[in-house]
Amino acid sequence: MSAVLYVDSEPIQSVEDEPVTVSLEFPWETSAAHRCSACDEPLTATTAGYVDQSGDPECRLYDPDEEDGPDIGPHTVERVPLAWVNSAGISVNEAEDAVTVSISVGDPRGAFCFQVRRIPDDAPGDLAGRLVLHVPYPDESTPHQRLTALHAGTYVIG
């Protein structure tokens, strides 16, 4: 097999051997899932509301709705994009004639795996030589997370 690894549309020249697996890891254990849209501080949920890293519930860049509003106020909470993903990867398997995409969400011990593989040309039946797509489904024996069908091909996770 001959493959070229690209990062941000640029080929990576320093790969010694043909890559079999390429992945992105997201070290969210050091980051928060929420931040303040005004001051960009990471936020932590408490029983009294959201606080920044110093434990302060007040935002130093609070922007009141009215001109005569207070100079400080609560943080404006927003979710951090991609904070829900642990890792994303792609692997190729020449022996299986398959490409697998894995996406791990929430639980870092597993992943949702989507695979396209070619059925061998000499396989019995009508599928010989055809490409097939394997996707996660609600009643899998070892699911990464629970799936509920929203409509054909779309699932709610968790």
Side-chain angles (χ1 to χ4, degrees), residues 21-38:
T21 300
V22 178
S23 65
L24 293 170
E25 302 291 328
F26 297 85
W28 294 122
E29 65 276 358
T30 59
S31 300
H34 296 89
R35 67 180 171 207
C36 176
S37 63

Side-chain angles (χ1 to χ4, degrees), residues 135-147:
V135 298
Y137 57 93
D139 295 325
E140 275 186 289
S141 61
T142 57
H144 178 51
Q145 293 216 353
R146 187 174 59 83
L147 295 175

Side-chain angles (χ1 to χ4, degrees), residues 74-142:
H75 291 286
T76 306
V77 180
E78 71 177 5
R79 290 184 184 269
V80 175
L82 298 176
W84 50 266
V85 65
N86 295 321
S87 64
I90 182 171
S91 61
V92 295
N93 184 327
E94 279 189 74
E96 296 280 326
D97 202 2
V99 176
T100 302
V101 175
S102 302
I103 302 170
S104 176
V105 300
D107 186 345
R109 296 171 294 176
F112 288 110
C113 295
F114 307 79
Q115 183 184 72
V116 174
R117 70 180 187 96
R118 188 170 59 85
I119 304 295
D121 291 332
D122 59 355
D126 295 337
L127 293 178
R130 304 287 303 267
L131 295 175
V132 295
L133 171 66
H134 300 279
V135 298
Y137 57 93
D139 295 325
E140 275 186 289
S141 61
T142 57

